[in-house]
Amino acid sequence: MFRTLRKPFSINKVCLIVIVFLFYLPSYADETVVARVNGAAITSRDIEEEIDRLIPRITFHRNVSEEKRKNFRGRALEELINRELQYQDAITEGLKADEEQVKNQMEQFKNRYKSREGYEEALKKMGITENELRARIEKDLLLKTAISKIVIQPAQMSEEALKEYYDKNPNKFKKPESVRLRLISTKDEEKAKEILNRIKAGEDFTELASKMSEDVYRIKGGDIGYIHKGRIIPEIEDVAFKLEVGQVSNLIKAGENWSIVKVEDKKPEQQMSFEEIKERLKKELEARRAKEIMDKWISDLRAKAKIEILPIETGAPAK
């Protein structure tokens, strides 16, 4: 009945924060080098661990088949290359991970185990040493610091800048004309005709919707709330926006259903105030700016980097 709308762009969709993925690190023995980024090696093991990061974020499942894992390898390699370039840039800029945060993350990891022996056994299963674990934590936290300084902070917008954008783009902040509808629908044309005749004879639309409609809105007496254009199928939309408040439509053929609508209320197009949209606008514009800054940062780093991609079959052993 209703169209699926795209969700508004969210800063959560932008890869701005590197997730510290330390509490689930399976052991991958293959250390074959598959790429080098300014000389820094990326191994098959790195690829597999990055796939383990990606899968829950993209599929909302932790485990997928080996065949499906292959589909993530290209993206995993790109993510690793970008992250290595960002890390190298952070080092060049003289940025450092917060030592207190490194210490806290190490403690959190250790506290997951009841004994020192259990902790050491976990490291052994993951195939890393304590120093390597600390290095991973430091790298992730340094990346967070770099992204905050280079991307997130410059993307922040003042209220004055937001207001200026609002004033220059008033047409973007209008609530469209909307109607509040009650709906009765059925696949049976004869039943629909009977319902319409009973409405015309004076029976209550809400009661008939509750008793005779065949859609989920019957439990609300057919009330589907306020709808603006583009949110309901065209056959119903075309009729609904031409009716006056209190009017009932004739039969409407929409897909497999025969429908009848009643207009309960109408709201004209309205200009939203700056205060109404300020917080949403701030999130959207900052997310957009952050993505632009992030994309340019990565593009600039790649333009001057030496990136070698080695076929897995001819990859070199890691040194």
Side-chain angles (χ1 to χ4, degrees), residues 155-174:
Q156 300 298 300
M157 293 187 69
S158 67
E159 185 162 331
E160 291 74 17
L162 292 171
K163 184 64 165 61
E164 181 181 355
Y165 183 91
Y166 171 85
D167 290 339
K168 287 182 177 179
N169 300 277
N171 290 332
K172 293 184 178 181
F173 309 108
K174 289 184 177 181

Side-chain angles (χ1 to χ4, degrees), residues 175-181 225-229 236-247 261-270:
K175 290 181 181 178
E177 177 189 5
S178 61
V179 294
R180 182 181 176 186
L181 299 179
Y226 285 94
I227 300 297
H228 60 73
K229 289 183 178 180
I236 293 178
E237 179 184 290
D238 291 343
V239 174
F241 280 85
K242 292 175 183 176
L243 296 174
E244 298 299 325
V245 174
Q247 281 189 310
V261 294
K262 178 183 179 182
V263 175
E264 293 283 3
D265 189 25
K266 277 192 168 185
K267 290 183 179 180
E269 182 180 76
Q270 295 177 317

Side-chain angles (χ1 to χ4, degrees), residues 15 17 28 36 50 68 97 100 118 133 148 151 153 160 165 174 182 207 209 222 227 247 288 298 306 310:
C15 183
I17 299 176
Y28 294 105
R36 294 188 187 277
E50 183 63 22
K68 287 184 177 180
E100 192 63 28
L133 174 63
S148 176
V151 178
Q153 292 176 24
E160 291 74 17
Y165 183 91
K174 289 184 177 181
R182 287 191 188 273
E207 289 186 11
I227 300 297
Q247 281 189 310
R288 186 188 308 168
I298 294 295
K306 182 179 180 181
L310 306 176

